[in-house]
Amino acid sequence: MELHDVWFVLIAVLWIGYFFLEGFDFGVGILTKLLARDRPEKRVLINTIGPVWDGNEVWLLTAGGATFAAFPEWYATLFSGFYLPLLIILVCLIIRGVAFEYRAKRPEEDWQRNWEQAIFWTSLIPAFLWGVAFGNIVRGVKIDADMEFVGSFWDLLNPYALLGGLVTLTLFTFHGAVFVSLKTVGDIRVRARALALKLGLVTAVAALGFLIWTQLDTGDSWSLVAMLIAVVSLVGAIAAIKVGREGWSFALSGVTITAAVAMLFLALFPDVMPSSLNPEWSLTVTNASSSPYTLKIMTWCAAIATPLVLLYQSWTYWVFRKRIGTQHIAGTH
């Protein structure tokens, strides 16, 4: 296996990690409006991800940086072609981070309500747009012989990509509901389980349609295996939450995300951005990659830094592993 193939796999792993971790905190942000009945319950939901949301975003920064260094042509074409949706995602992530930090700075009702609205919308919009973006990457976009995107923003809003956006939105919300049921106690835990069950059924219908479409369009035997794992895991996650096994359900929903993202990258390989105008103009792991020397240096840096990051983030989750409820919120007694 060549180094550019290794880095394609590593970038896939980074995106899997990002969607697994950021997926549930996007879901929790959406649930602040769908699940929470009052301000203390909203505080409970926000507190479940308060210690970890910023660490989860490190995976996105690393994935973007790795793409820039390992596949500069891919990075350039992707960010120029998807400029508007990626800009919207970036703005949402900035506002979302500010909302988490500033929401509790003042006690006024309107102040806190406005920041809670910001958390909801800046969780929902990226959760949808990431699916649209990856749907277009797998489907292919208008790339000319100079490796430049020549389409428009409206070309990105095609049925396949919009279905991909619906899948990530529902899957992340389901993932978040399972996480809330795993991290809370009392009535909010019971309602999170009931909502997760409903969301799981909606997610299953949308995901099955999207994955089958992907398999029929660009899949191979390996992507078929990943698709079957994703489907079985999602069914298992729904069954586990129904019987109150939140830990198993969260693990299986994570496997669903892992297998689904892996399927997209397997269906994509050896391309990194297919051209819908001419297959010969597609960006591949070969023609879009950096020099072997650059990839070699990157590999050594990743081998040293990645275990340290994983250990630190695992320790963070271990420290904040206990369940919380409204009784833990100051001023609610």
Side-chain angles (χ1 to χ4, degrees), residues 7 27 29 42 44 74-75 86 88 115 170 176 179 190 201-202 208 226 243 268 306 314 318 329:
W7 273 97
K42 289 183 179 181
V44 169
W74 183 13
Y75 182 92
L86 291 178
I88 293 172
W115 285 120
T170 55
F179 180 77
V190 175
L201 297 175
V202 175
L208 186 62
V243 297
L268 187 60
T306 303
S314 299
W318 175 255
I329 302 300

Side-chain angles (χ1 to χ4, degrees), residues 229-306:
I229 293 173
V231 172
V232 172
S233 298
L234 181 56
V235 172
I238 296 170
I241 199 65
K242 185 176 182 180
V243 297
R245 300 298 297 271
E246 294 105 335
W248 278 105
S249 182
F250 182 72
L252 288 169
S253 67
V255 173
T256 301
I257 292 174
T258 300
V261 177
M263 179 194 177
L264 295 182
F265 276 91
L266 287 168
L268 187 60
F269 186 81
D271 293 335
V272 292
M273 280 193 77
S275 172
S276 59
L277 300 178
N278 187 335
E280 295 183 357
W281 297 344
S282 298
L283 301 181
T284 68
V285 293
T286 303
N287 64 20
S289 68
S290 294
S291 66
Y293 182 70
T294 300
L295 296 177
K296 185 177 180 180
I297 294 175
M298 290 176 60
T299 303
W300 279 107
C301 293
I304 296 171
T306 303

Side-chain angles (χ1 to χ4, degrees), residues 62-115:
T62 308
T67 304
F68 171 76
F71 299 99
E73 294 289 350
W74 183 13
Y75 182 92
T77 304
L78 176 65
F79 277 76
S80 60
F82 292 23
Y83 182 83
L84 182 56
L86 291 178
L87 177 62
I88 293 172
I89 290 173
L90 177 60
V91 171
C92 284
L93 293 180
I94 292 171
I95 295 174
R96 188 168 180 265
V98 174
F100 280 130
E101 297 296 334
Y102 274 73
R103 177 195 162 277
K105 296 297 183 183
R106 289 169 56 178
E108 290 88 347
E109 186 84 7
D110 289 343
W111 172 273
Q112 295 192 3
R113 185 187 302 113
N114 289 337
W115 285 120

Side-chain angles (χ1 to χ4, degrees), residues 141-182:
V141 292
K142 294 180 179 179
I143 299 175
D144 63 14
D146 297 321
M147 298 184 181
E148 295 182 0
F149 178 79
V150 293
S152 68
F153 170 75
W154 303 110
D155 293 328
L156 305 179
L157 303 181
N158 55 79
Y160 176 77
L162 293 175
L163 179 57
L166 178 63
V167 171
T168 52
L169 176 60
T170 55
L171 181 56
F172 290 170
T173 310
F174 168 71
H175 196 41
V178 174
F179 180 77
V180 170
S181 70
L182 180 64

Side-chain angles (χ1 to χ4, degrees), residues 36 38-45 103 188 325-326 329 331-332:
D38 51 31
R39 179 134 293 113
E41 289 193 351
K42 289 183 179 181
R43 290 179 64 185
V44 169
L45 294 181
R103 177 195 162 277
I188 193 170
T326 53
I329 302 300
T332 60

Side-chain angles (χ1 to χ4, degrees), residues 20-42:
F20 181 96
L21 298 172
E22 189 86 309
F24 72 72
D25 72 42
F26 279 148
V28 173
I30 295 169
L31 293 174
T32 56
K33 185 174 286 291
L34 302 182
L35 180 63
R37 292 177 174 174
D38 51 31
R39 179 134 293 113
E41 289 193 351
K42 289 183 179 181

